[in-house]
Amino acid sequence: DAKTTQPPSMDCAEGRAANLPCNHSTISGNEYVYWYRQIHSQGPQYIIHGLKNNETNEMASLIITEDRKSSTLILPHATLRDTAVYYCIVSNWGNQFYFGTGTSLTVIP
Amino acid sequence: GAVVSQHPSRVICKSGTSVKIECRSLDFQATTMFWYRQFPKQSLMLMATSNEGSKATYEQGVEKDKFLINHASLTLSTLTVTSAHPEDSSFYICSARDRRGGSETQYFGPGTRLLVL
């Protein structure tokens, strides 16, 4: 079963930062936080992952709270192409992914 | 990122026939691949873990005799839906585990849409 909780939907204005929260209060010490997104009728696309430090790549930033019970994915300048369902997953290295219901992000022109 | 392909992208078949779906890691070797199923307006549901050179591990409630998985090489896993029925119509997605560079990530294929008539 999924171990994460995300809001079902969010809107964001084009050009603004999109901040997507994820609650994972039962995360264990060696579980990573992964973020993927799925655009309609496509396979999920990897965005970013982290253990306890904040991470940044060319797509997004991942902020993990000090107690690791929640995280936020930040898309710094949302575009219309960022409209998708965003999934937050916690998993040990080598283990399976169990997807929750994700957050449907709509970027508004 | 790494590239994972699936073939075919969509398939229509008659009830009672079998359908094979291929999943390939194109630029890396994957000892482990995963198969998911997604029904409309729902999330991905893990079906099974495919391990190269050994038997697949199926999630609870997934019939191993109906969904045959073969992972014969480090770049290819196949899912065969045997004796398909209309309720098997779904979007099937594979992923491959990439362990290069000291990190571990799963990369997903584009999915295969199956319609059973």
Side-chain angles (χ1 to χ4, degrees), chain B residues 67-82:
Chain B
F67 299 98
L68 301 179
I69 292 172
N70 184 278
H71 193 155
S73 79
L74 289 172
T75 59
L76 173 65
S77 175
T78 60
L79 168 70
T80 301
V81 183
T82 63

Side-chain angles (χ1 to χ4, degrees), chain A residues 10-108:
Chain A
M10 291 181 65
D11 292 339
C12 176
E14 188 178 17
R16 304 295 294 270
N19 297 282
L20 293 96
C22 180
N23 182 288
H24 32 79
S25 57
T26 60
I27 192 170
S28 64
N30 51 359
E31 286 184 313
Y32 285 73
V33 179
Y34 292 85
W35 281 85
Y36 286 79
R37 70 182 182 185
Q38 186 179 28
I39 295 170
H40 184 61
S41 295
Q42 298 181 25
Q45 176 190 22
Y46 167 77
I47 301 174
I48 199 166
H49 74 281
L51 183 62
K52 43 185 159 180
N53 297 324
N54 297 337
E55 302 287 344
T56 295
N57 62 20
E58 64 277 5
M59 288 183 69
S61 294
L62 172 60
I63 308 298
I64 303 174
T65 58
E66 193 168 342
D67 63 8
R68 303 210 321 124
K69 292 185 176 181
S70 65
S71 61
T72 301
L73 178 74
I74 301 173
L75 307 178
H77 305 285
T79 71
L80 299 179
R81 287 178 297 179
D82 293 322
T83 293
V85 178
Y86 287 76
Y87 294 101
C88 167
I89 303 161
V90 295
S91 179
N92 286 319
W93 271 22
N95 282 6
Q96 299 84 344
F97 283 178
Y98 294 100
F99 282 75
T101 53
T103 295
S104 178
L105 175 70
T106 301
V107 180
I108 302 169

